[in-house]
Amino acid sequence: QVQLVESGGGFVQAGGSLRLSCAASGRSFSTYTMGWFRQAPGKEREFVAGSGDYADSVKGRFTISRDNAKNTLYLQMNSLKPEDTAVYVCAATMAYSATAYRTARFYDYWGQGTQVTVSS
């Protein structure tokens, strides 16, 4: 069982930055495939970043990284826009896929999410 706990969300003005963290339990963090998703009110959960890939809407503004020594996944978000407002959730799986990592069904474990609100 893998537990994921996000932090770092908050309220920021457009153009600002936030860094999200996702702390994971377990001894095999370095072997997990990790990803970030987000869900805005009334919308489906969407892929944000993972496996070195980014959604087109965040490319060039967001950077995903991980520190295996700290069992932590990060999402650096710069040049934030009001349309980035959502609950951001990290996900993990012990599986690997060159293509499926952009789909929510690929992941087995999910955090509770952290709210990001960007004002205009």
Side-chain angles (χ1 to χ4, degrees), residues 6-9 17-23 34-38 46-51 53-55 58-59 61-67 72-78 80 84 86-90 114 116:
E6 302 95 335
S7 61
S17 299
L18 286 173
R19 188 176 82 153
L20 306 183
S21 299
C22 172
M34 303 290 296
W36 284 101
F37 287 74
R38 68 186 181 186
E46 64 173 354
F47 171 79
V48 174
S51 297
D53 193 16
Y54 298 88
V58 308
K59 203 170 291 185
R61 301 187 297 122
F62 291 11
T63 303
I64 188 172
S65 63
R66 63 194 294 166
D67 185 336
T72 303
L73 179 75
Y74 301 100
L75 185 68
Q76 178 66 45
M77 306 186 296
N78 298 328
L80 283 162
D84 294 319
V87 175
Y88 285 71
V89 187
C90 68
T114 185
V116 172

Side-chain angles (χ1 to χ4, degrees), residues 8-117:
F11 185 93
V12 64
Q13 291 188 332
S17 299
L18 286 173
R19 188 176 82 153
L20 306 183
S21 299
C22 172
S25 65
R27 302 181 187 178
S28 304
F29 178 78
S30 62
T31 67
Y32 302 161
T33 298
M34 303 290 296
W36 284 101
F37 287 74
R38 68 186 181 186
Q39 188 164 17
K43 295 187 177 181
E44 292 187 355
R45 184 169 293 186
E46 64 173 354
F47 171 79
V48 174
S51 297
D53 193 16
Y54 298 88
D56 287 344
S57 59
V58 308
K59 203 170 291 185
R61 301 187 297 122
F62 291 11
T63 303
I64 188 172
S65 63
R66 63 194 294 166
D67 185 336
N68 291 333
K70 295 182 178 180
N71 279 19
T72 303
L73 179 75
Y74 301 100
L75 185 68
Q76 178 66 45
M77 306 186 296
N78 298 328
S79 302
L80 283 162
K81 304 175 181 180
E83 51 264 43
D84 294 319
T85 295
V87 175
Y88 285 71
V89 187
C90 68
T93 179
M94 296 179 189
Y96 171 78
S97 171
T99 56
Y101 60 85
R102 295 177 71 100
T103 61
R105 290 181 299 174
F106 176 64
Y107 297 87
D108 301 306
Y109 305 101
W110 295 84
Q112 82 289 347
T114 185
Q115 176 70 46
V116 172
T117 303

